[in-house]
Structure formats: structure tokens, C-alpha cells
Amino acid sequence: MNIFYNVLEKVIRSIWGLVRKAPVAIVLCAVLMAAVCAASSALWLKLDSDQDNLISHELPFQKRNLEQIKNFGDQEYMFVVIKTGGTDAGKDKAAKFAATLATKLKKRPDLVKEVHYAMSARDMGPGVLMFASSDELRQFVSLARDFGPLGKEWFEEPGLTRFLNMTADLLSGKKGTEQGGSAGPEMFGPFIGAVDNLVGEMQSSLVSGPTLETMNAPVFDLDKAGIQYFFTRNGKLLIMRILPKKDFRVMDVIGPSLNFVRSSLETVRTEFPEVEAGLTGRPVLSADEMHTTDQDMTIAAIISVVVVGLMFMFILHGWLRPMLVMGSLFCAMAWTFGFTLVALGSLNLLSIVFALVLVGIGVDFGIHIVMRYVEASDSGLSPDEAVEEALVHTGPGVLLGGLTSVCAFYAVLGQEFVGLAELGLVGGTGIIFCLISMLTVLPSMMLIAGRRNWFPSSRPRMATMPFMEKIISRPVTVLLVFAVLTALAFPGFQKAGFNYNLLDLQAEGLESVEYEHVLINDSDESTWFAVMTRPDLESVKSLIAELKQIPSVGRVDSILGFLPEGQQEKAEILRGEAEALAGINLEARNSSLVPSEVVSGLENLIESLEGLEEKLFSAGAKAELEKVGEIIDRADSCLEILEKNPADAVNLTPLQARLVSELSGSFAWLKEILEVKSVDPNDLPEHLRSLYVGKDGSFMVKISPVGNVWDFDKLTGFVADLRRIDPEVTGVPVVVLESSLLMRETFLEAAGLTIILVSAILFLSSFSISYVLLTLVPLFAGIFWLLEIMGITGLSFNLANFFAIPVLIAIGVDGGVHFLARWKELSQGERLYHTSTPVAVGLSFCTTMIGFGGLLLAHHRGLASLGGIMVTGSATCLVGCMVVLPAVFRLIERIKGK
């Protein structure tokens, strides 16, 4: 026996000496420390759910991404996707749906920071006229000249009555423009719409009186003039962008915001049952993924603990021995939480799975000790002797297997993928704590229970597996059968692959996933966009020209989309036109509201509308005629109320105040936009500037891909095309691509390093190459068969399940270590399957399968695939360990003539 193994034996004997002397003190200290760790963790252990912190901030691509976020702010939006059917009627309904939803969302600025679904003239800022064509601008100037004198006249004594009378005169042609005509035909729709709004507001005020909802509401809503909704290019969808409030101190970063948006969306759906709409976007997908995985992990952990406990109770025949193992495991888990609090202060989105790992792996150490204790007790040894036998004979193997498991996790330490590195630290340290607990706390509790005769007198239902001796009695046949089956399944090995598509990991049936596919299939919109920055507008123009030549590039958005062309020519058209509004007294006091005058104004309006009806009837304008008829009916209703009770006119006072206030603001705005001579980025409203102009003055260019960016080949090509133009391109596509490649590289390095470290430890424990190779037989056979089965069944590696490989390396080697150690202990004529080791190893693999098997029920397809790989890989390694390795042992025995 070599020095390394002697050291392991001395460690175990030292542990036994401590356990024998003070078992009660050990248990009390362990439980007390576990309680302190659990309580401290519950109070102070944080969750860092910021995905940007999963990757080292020093990596160039991540550094650029974080600098871009710092410079331009968070622009990771939720998307409400509203289907229009591509028809005008559908677009109108979608617009009303969006407006209603936006109104609800804006009531909670503490949860929703921004809502964008359309852009009005006001939203474009004072330079809005510069976006019109020269002909449109001339028409607008002519209209301003016409309405300037009318505005000046009305503001001499502004009020509701005068507005009614002037409107009546305009409709009848008694009062016209400076050219002597009435309002032109192109103004008929907006003008009649405004009259309809006013009369409708009057009727509502007279019937119900002023309400809190209408006190500050606009009468005409002139701010929405010229509104442009964010329809996709094909018109099939209306897109709302919502910027949620984020809190990275909790797992559900946008939880309150998301819940509010979803409840508001559901409410609006009931108001518009004919409109189809759903919520998606990267933060929504991430939140849904977090919620689904959290739920799935919780269910899987509960299932694994319960089923493992029940299995122990069945196999070990009783509840005490399983409870001691699980109690020791819970102590180790609590210590691990405490270590995490001290060492890291927080868990990340990957390291939170360590508990499930410990259930699957950590409990294995206890199984070997318990089964060897049962075997020793059955041979007539006292409780002290049985515990010593279990520790001394299985302890070195447990330590050796534990070290190999620790290697699998510690192999990722120091990696740039911080999330995995922290999982490796927490998981590996957790396994060390499991080793400590199973080698100290568990034997102490067993010693206490044994001395007090608490264990059941009945033997475990399965302490040995003698029937397996018949299976391996013909080792050559066994090995040939497996060789043939392996060869037949080899095409599956060649098909095993890696799926980078993150959308394929999400749970099926989620609204966010469904509507992400809607965006991909039915629009030019993308929830992902790459980012390039330029220092000035000229370089932005050059960049956009280059980008438009790339087939993989779809939409390109920049500040240039909000800077009009031909500004000099348009400035000439507007020169001096603001004078048309000169002399208007926007500060004039409202006229007093006299009931008889209001009645007179309504009568004039009705008379003019009836005259207009005759003209519309003669022209055959049925739709317009119907609209005018509705206005007359409302005006008649108002007239009837005031004639019956003139005092009700007081209810119109707030309406008059709103009318005067709104028109004052509109004429002031009109004068302001007529005075604008040019538009540059500094003239744009802040909400537009902040989207494209950074704090350092640089300009952002947003580049959306063509097609399905979730397809890894398309994503790779898109980023490669952009890097040919600008190697420092950043944004979500770049971060996803680089982090995916980094994760895969980290996994591969970890797997390779784990094999090297495990092989080195095995060699140090034996100084025998044959020992190393024999120990690795179950691992290599199991992994090879796993890849074959994956290829046959279509199960792929992905970013959610690839860490299964280092874990499978650990458990595969652990089984081989225990089988080989027990085989070397066998005396002449003694058979391996007549001992408790195969049962212990089998239970170890089963606990791993159960621990991860709960994930097979997961809705999240990534977690379900992790469960699939872990269960399949554990099963194949189990077969390699329980059948192939003993067959090799038997063949070696025959060759040696043993």
C-alpha cells in the first residue's frame, strides 16, 4: 500500500478515535453549527439575479456591454405584441387596445419606467414640422395663416359660448379664412371629430357632472394629432415597448413589474376580447425561465428527498438509518449555506442548484458507511466494532471518491464564467462538508443509536446481490454482448450534438415563448439588437450605409431617424410664419358662463349642422351624414337639459376651463413649432435623445438581424458580419454568442481537467496504471453509451445540461473506486456480490438518478434535458460498474488462475 492511501487510512482512524470518544458532543456541535448557518443564511444570504454578473466583467465583450449599458442606460424592454390581422379595422382596434393598456401602465411609474407604442407630433419635439415634406409644410403654413385671426378673435374673451358660435359660423360659412372660404375639405374629418368630442363632453358634464377622471383630461386630445403607431412593416402587428423597474436583490428581478403588466394586460383583454395580444421580450423570457426553473427545482428537490428517503426505508427496513443519513446530509447543506454567506455573500442563478447536487451526490458517502455497518452488525460485531469496521474499510474509499467529486466541481474555479466558478466553489465545498458530516456526524449518530439498541432487529431487505454472480459467470460472453450492442449503437454516437438555441430550453406553452415566435415569424422586429457607437453624425451615416449592404442585417435604428432632411429649404418656408399668431393673448381670462348664451350657442351650432346635413345628403356622403346626425342628437340632448334647468350650466364650468387651457397650450405649441429653424440632436426631447445619445455624447446605432436570431448559426453569422465592420460591436446578440461559447469551452475544460485530476488522484492512491484504467472502466463505458443513446433519442447537450458531464465523471469514478477496493479485499473463494458493496454502489447511483430524476417532470426543457442526461448517464455508468467492471474482474481472475 502506498503513502497516499496510508494517509487516508490514518485520517479515517483519527476520525474513528474522535467519534468513539465523543459522539454526543460531535452531534450537538454539528447540529448547533447547522442551526447557526441556516439562520444566518436565511437572514443575510442574498441572491444575485443579475445575469451580467455570471460572466467576468474583465472579459472584453462583457466590459464593452457593461460600458454601453452605463452610457446609454438600460434598454432591455418588454414587448406587448398585438395582432392586427393586417386590416385597417384590426389596426384601429389594436391602437385602442394599446392606448387603453398604456393608460393603465402609466398609473404605476414605480413599476413601469417607460411605455412606447406610438409617437405623436408633441413627442417629436418643437422641430416636428421639419419632418413634413415641403408640400405638406406649405399646406400647414396656409392653415396656420387661416386660423391665426380666428384664434386671436377667440382669445379676446375665451369661453365655451364663443367657441360654439365660432364653430357654427365656420360650418355655415359665415366666418371663414382670410381668403373668405370656410375650412377646406381636408379638414372636415378632424374638425367634425373635434366638434363631436366637445358636444359629447358637454352632454356627459350636464348628465353626470364633473368627475375626477375628467377634471384634467383633454377635450380634443390635440397632443395626439398626427400620431404614428409602431406597426411592423407588414402591418400585422402593433408593438408596445415597456421598460420595467428592476431589483437585482431578489430572484425575480422584474417580478412586481411583470405581475402588474400581466394583470393590466389581462384586464384590457377582457375589454377587447376580439384582440389577440401577448407579452414577450428578453426580460420576460428570463423571468419566466427563472420562475419555471425555481418551481421545477423546488419540486425536484422535494421529490428527490422524499423518494430517496422512502427508498432507504424500504431497502434498509426501517426509518432510523435513512433518517440518520438524511440528517447528516441536511447538516452538510446548512454548513454549505453558511460557507457561501461568508465566502461569497450571495448565490447566483447557477450556484443555487448546489442543493440538488448534494442530494444526488453527498448522500452516497453515507450509503457506503451504513451498508458496511449493516454487514458488520450481521456478522455479530458490537455497535462500536461495526462502526469501526464501516469507517476503516469504507472510509478511504469514501474519501477517495469524495476527492474525485470535489475535483469535478473545483475544476471550474478561476474560470471567466463566474457563475460556473461560484457553482464549482459552492458545490465542491458542499461535497467536502458532506464528507465531513458522513464521516463524523453519521458514525456518531450510528454509534449512539447502536449503543442504545435503537436500530430495528430485522435485516435490510437487500444487503447483498448474489443473483448477479450468475450474470457475470461468463465474463467473455458478457463483454462480447456489450461490445456488439455498443457497435450497433455507434451511429447514435456520431449524431450526438450541442444545441445552443436558448429558446428551445424554455417551457412549452409559455405566452412569452409563443409571442417571441410570432415576432420572429411575422415581423421584421427583434427583441435582440446589436449595438455600435460612433462619435459624430457623419460617421453614423457612413456606418448605416455599410450596414445596409449586409444581407443578415434587418432594421437599423439611429438618431438620424429623428433628424429631418432638407432643413434649410423648410426653414425658408417657415420664415416669419409665426407672425400669423402674433397678438394672440394666451393669458386672457375665461369669459363668464351664462346659461342663456350657452343655449343660444348650441342653437346656432345645431342650425349650422342641419345645414351641413343637407349638403352631405346631396353629396351622398352617408358616413359623414351619420356622424353629423349623431352630433345633432347630442347637442339636442344638451339643449333640452339646459332649457329645463338653466342652473345645470354650472356643470360646464370645468369643461370650459379645460377647453381654454388646452387651446392656449395648443396655440403656444403652434407658435413654437413655427419658429423652429433647424433640428439637431440637442433639440430632440430627452426621451428620444437618451435612446441614441450616450452620456459621453457618442451616438448609438441599433442593428436588428434578419430571421431567427435564436438560431445559433444565424446568430454566429450575424455577429461575424458585424465584426467585419466593427470588431467592438456589442449588445445582446454578441453577449449571448460569446457567453454560450465561453460556457461550452468552460465545460469542456472542466471535463478534461476533471479526468486529469481524477486520474492523478487514482494513480497516487495506487501507483498503478492498471488500477487507474480499471477504475475508469465504468466511466468511459457509461459516457460512451450515454452519447450513443443521446444520438438515437435526439437528446442534445445544451447550456442547461452540459455540466452533467463533470458530475457524471465524479459518480462514475466513485463507483469504480468502491468496487475495486472491495474486490481487492476479497479473500479466497469470496465473491464480490456476496458483500454489501454492490448494493451500496447501486443505491448511490439510484440516489443520483432520483436526485436528478425529478427534473424529468420539469416544464423547463433545459432542466428536463439535464434530468434526462443525468438519469441516462447514471444508468449507463451503473451498468458499466455493476456488470462490465465485475466481468473484467472475473476475466482477470481466470487469467491469473485465481
Side-chain angles (χ1 to χ4, degrees):
M1 192 67 65
N2 63 71
I3 297 174
F4 183 78
Y5 208 84
N6 285 336
V7 170
L8 294 182
E9 284 191 331
K10 287 181 179 179
V11 170
I12 294 300
R13 289 195 175 275
S14 298
I15 291 173
W16 163 239
L18 184 64
V19 168
R20 182 180 56 191
K21 290 178 181 178
V24 175
I26 289 174
V27 173
L28 289 176
C29 288
V31 171
L32 179 61
M33 188 164 62
V36 171
C37 290
S40 302
S41 301
L43 290 172
W44 296 300
L45 185 62
K46 306 293 184 183
L47 175 71
D48 181 4
S49 55
D50 189 348
Q51 293 184 6
D52 289 326
N53 290 337
L54 293 177
I55 302 169
S56 170
H57 292 185
E58 298 305 313
L59 287 169
F61 77 88
Q62 182 69 336
K63 184 180 290 187
R64 287 194 294 270
N65 177 55
L66 295 175
E67 288 173 352
Q68 174 255 317
I69 293 173
K70 183 179 179 181
N71 193 20
F72 292 93
D74 179 21
Q75 297 191 26
E76 197 170 64
Y77 290 94
M78 298 178 180
F79 288 75
V80 175
V81 181
I82 308 169
K83 296 182 180 181
T84 69
T87 65
D88 290 339
K91 290 180 180 179
D92 288 341
K93 289 179 181 177
K96 290 177 182 176
F97 185 101
T100 305
L101 178 58
T103 301
K104 293 183 181 296
L105 296 179
K106 288 176 181 178
K107 291 178 180 178
R108 292 295 304 272
D110 58 315
L111 296 176
V112 176
K113 295 165 70 174
E114 298 175 17
V115 180
H116 305 288
Y117 66 96
M119 186 168 288
S120 66
R122 288 266 189 181
D123 294 329
M124 297 297 292
V128 61
L129 291 180
M130 288 292 179
F131 291 89
S133 67
S134 297
D135 289 340
E136 290 171 334
L137 196 56
R138 291 188 180 93
Q139 291 176 6
F140 185 85
V141 166
S142 175
L143 196 62
R145 288 172 184 169
D146 291 345
F147 277 93
L150 296 176
K152 186 175 181 180
E153 178 184 344
W154 185 72
F155 275 105
E156 289 175 358
E157 193 177 356
L160 179 60
T161 302
R162 174 169 281 202
F163 192 89
L164 292 172
N165 287 323
M166 291 181 70
T167 301
D169 289 345
L170 281 170
L171 287 171
S172 63
K174 294 177 183 178
K175 185 182 290 293
T177 63
E178 289 181 349
Q179 286 74 25
S182 60
E186 72 281 354
M187 289 298 295
F188 177 83
F191 189 71
I192 287 296
V195 174
D196 186 28
N197 284 348
L198 177 63
V199 175
E201 289 277 355
M202 288 179 67
Q203 184 185 30
S204 177
S205 297
L206 289 170
V207 171
S208 307
T211 63
L212 288 175
E213 290 186 1
T214 60
M215 287 299 287
N216 297 312
V219 180
F220 303 125
D221 215 1
L222 296 174
D223 286 350
K224 292 186 177 178
I227 192 168
Q228 297 292 322
Y229 293 93
F230 296 159
F231 292 108
T232 53
R233 192 174 299 171
N234 58 15
K236 291 183 177 181
L237 305 173
L238 172 59
I239 308 298
M240 293 184 72
R241 295 179 180 86
I242 302 166
L243 190 62
K245 198 85 170 180
K246 294 182 178 179
D247 183 359
F248 292 111
R249 296 170 299 176
V250 296
M251 179 182 288
D252 212 350
V253 178
I254 60 168
S257 301
L258 181 57
N259 291 336
F260 171 63
V261 172
R262 279 188 162 146
S263 64
S264 300
L265 180 59
E266 192 59 38
T267 301
V268 177
R269 281 196 187 111
T270 60
E271 296 178 30
F272 297 86
E274 71 282 5
V275 177
E276 291 184 59
L279 187 66
T280 188
R282 192 169 183 237
V284 182
L285 288 164
S286 297
D288 283 350
E289 183 172 38
M290 178 62 65
H291 177 72
T292 306
T293 54
D294 181 47
Q295 221 174 28
D296 291 338
M297 290 292 289
T298 301
I299 293 171
I302 293 172
I303 290 174
S304 63
V305 170
V306 172
V307 176
V308 166
L310 291 174
M311 182 183 68
F312 283 178
M313 291 174 66
F314 176 78
I315 297 295
L316 300 177
H317 201 277
W319 59 269
L320 183 56
R321 281 180 289 242
M323 287 298 293
L324 296 183
V325 175
M326 300 308 291
S328 302
L329 175 65
F330 290 149
C331 281
M333 292 175 69
W335 300 344
T336 308
F337 275 110
F339 166 79
T340 307
L341 174 63
V342 174
L344 301 175
S346 64
L347 288 167
N348 63 51
L349 298 178
L350 294 178
S351 59
I352 57 174
V353 306
F354 83 89
L356 195 63
V357 172
L358 296 188
V359 172
I361 296 178
V363 76
D364 296 352
F365 309 139
I367 292 173
H368 291 284
I369 294 172
V370 169
M371 292 304 298
R372 194 59 178 260
Y373 173 84
V374 169
E375 183 181 341
S377 296
D378 286 346
S379 67
L381 297 180
S382 68
D384 286 48
E385 291 170 334
V387 173
E388 181 181 7
E389 171 85 7
L391 266 180
V392 170
H393 286 278
T394 63
V398 167
L399 272 177
L400 193 59
L403 287 175
T404 60
S405 299
V406 171
C407 287
F409 284 89
Y410 278 2
V412 296
L413 293 182
Q415 293 284 353
E416 300 285 5
F417 206 107
V418 177
L420 279 177
E422 291 186 359
L423 171 59
L425 176 63
V426 175
T429 306
I431 290 174
I432 292 174
F433 285 139
C434 284
L435 276 173
I436 294 172
S437 183
M438 297 301 175
L439 291 174
T440 59
V441 181
L442 178 60
S444 296
M445 290 192 294
M446 290 170 61
L447 194 58
I448 294 169
R451 288 172 176 176
R452 288 165 173 75
N453 199 28
W454 288 348
F455 288 122
S457 57
S458 57
R459 296 183 70 252
R461 287 185 170 83
M462 184 182 289
T464 61
M465 303 172 67
F467 62 89
M468 288 294 297
E469 289 295 336
K470 293 182 180 179
I471 296 176
I472 62 168
S473 60
R474 297 182 178 180
V476 175
T477 303
V478 170
L479 295 175
L480 283 175
V481 167
F482 276 103
V484 170
L485 292 176
T486 302
L488 291 174
F490 185 73
F493 176 84
Q494 297 173 305
K495 293 179 182 178
F498 199 99
N499 180 9
Y500 288 95
N501 193 323
L502 298 177
L503 201 58
D504 287 346
L505 306 185
Q506 292 274 23
E508 292 181 337
L510 286 176
E511 178 188 82
S512 54
V513 175
E514 176 190 345
Y515 275 87
E516 184 72 19
H517 282 296
V518 170
L519 275 178
I520 292 167
N521 298 328
D522 294 339
S523 76
D524 58 334
E525 190 76 35
S526 175
T527 57
W528 291 7
F529 57 85
V531 172
M532 295 182 185
T533 57
R534 290 295 182 268
D536 54 64
L537 293 178
E538 285 304 317
S539 55
V540 170
K541 290 179 182 177
S542 301
L543 174 61
I544 291 175
E546 283 188 84
L547 291 170
K548 288 184 175 179
Q549 303 302 313
I550 301 176
S552 63
V553 170
R555 287 180 48 173
V556 179
D557 297 314
S558 74
I559 195 71
L560 293 180
F562 300 93
L563 297 179
E565 298 179 353
Q567 293 192 42
Q568 187 173 353
E569 177 189 354
K570 294 171 184 177
E572 288 296 324
I573 296 173
L574 291 175
R575 187 184 299 276
E577 293 300 337
E579 293 299 320
L581 305 180
I584 296 179
N585 182 15
L586 299 179
E587 303 298 326
R589 295 181 61 184
N590 299 356
S591 60
S592 57
L593 225 165
V594 180
S596 60
E597 293 178 355
V598 177
V599 169
S600 176
L602 279 170
E603 290 174 341
N604 288 339
L605 180 63
I606 292 170
E607 183 181 347
S608 297
L609 289 169
E610 288 173 343
L612 181 60
E613 268 191 314
E614 295 178 7
K615 295 177 183 178
L616 293 172
F617 181 78
S618 300
K622 293 182 179 179
E624 290 83 355
L625 184 63
E626 183 178 347
K627 187 72 173 177
V628 171
E630 291 174 357
I631 299 173
I632 292 174
D633 290 341
R634 291 195 185 97
D636 281 332
S637 174
C638 295
L639 194 59
E640 184 179 347
I641 292 171
L642 289 173
E643 286 175 343
K644 284 183 179 180
N645 189 6
D648 284 346
V650 71
N651 289 335
L652 298 175
T653 302
L655 173 61
Q656 175 173 272
R658 288 161 52 203
L659 173 67
V660 174
S661 175
E662 183 174 0
L663 289 179
S664 296
S666 296
F667 270 91
W669 167 252
L670 181 60
K671 186 176 181 181
E672 183 180 1
I673 64 178
L674 287 170
E675 289 174 342
V676 170
K677 301 296 187 293
S678 64
V679 178
D680 63 32
N682 293 323
D683 297 320
L684 293 174
E686 177 58 26
H687 71 273
L688 287 180
R689 287 190 76 256
S690 62
L691 290 175
Y692 298 101
V693 182
K695 295 174 183 176
D696 62 356
S698 61
F699 297 96
M700 175 195 285
V701 178
K702 299 178 182 179
I703 310 120
S704 298
V706 170
N708 184 3
V709 72
W710 296 88
D711 184 297
F712 197 74
D713 291 336
K714 290 184 179 179
L715 175 63
T716 304
F718 174 64
V719 174
D721 289 341
L722 296 183
R723 280 179 167 162
R724 279 191 281 271
I725 294 178
D726 184 354
E728 295 192 350
V729 61
T730 185
V732 173
V734 178
V735 172
V736 170
L737 173 65
E738 290 291 349
S739 57
S740 299
L741 294 174
L742 176 63
M743 184 179 284
R744 180 171 180 263
E745 181 182 328
T746 302
F747 283 146
L748 290 173
E749 288 182 5
L753 184 58
T754 300
I755 289 290
I756 293 172
L757 291 174
V758 166
S759 299
I761 291 173
L762 292 175
F763 182 76
L764 287 173
S765 68
S766 64
F767 286 103
S768 167
I769 296 296
S770 60
Y771 173 83
V772 175
L773 294 176
L774 283 173
T775 305
L776 294 176
V777 164
L779 171 65
F780 288 140
I783 295 296
F784 194 84
W785 295 336
L786 168 65
L787 295 173
E788 290 185 326
I789 292 171
M790 288 175 64
I792 293 170
T793 61
L795 181 63
S796 299
F797 285 117
N798 56 54
L799 298 176
N801 65 30
F802 202 70
F803 196 67
I805 293 300
V807 178
L808 287 173
I809 291 173
I811 64 173
V813 171
D814 184 67
V817 166
H818 287 286
F819 257 69
L820 196 58
R822 194 58 188 266
W823 179 57
K824 287 190 172 184
E825 286 183 30
L826 296 177
S827 57
Q828 185 70 32
E830 189 178 8
R831 290 301 179 190
L832 182 63
Y833 280 102
H834 291 161
T835 69
S836 63
T837 298
V839 174
V841 170
L843 281 174
S844 297
F845 278 107
C846 287
T847 58
T848 302
M849 285 189 278
I850 293 169
F852 287 93
L855 294 177
L856 292 172
L857 303 176
H859 296 88
H860 187 272
R861 286 177 286 176
L863 283 183
S865 69
L866 172 61
I869 287 181
M870 283 301 302
V871 170
T872 305
S874 299
T876 54
C877 287
L878 173 63
V879 172
C881 194
M882 299 286 282
V883 182
V884 175
L885 184 58
V888 173
F889 291 162
R890 187 64 65 86
L891 191 61
I892 292 173
E893 290 172 359
R894 287 188 179 181
I895 292 172
K896 290 183 176 181
K898 186 176 178 180

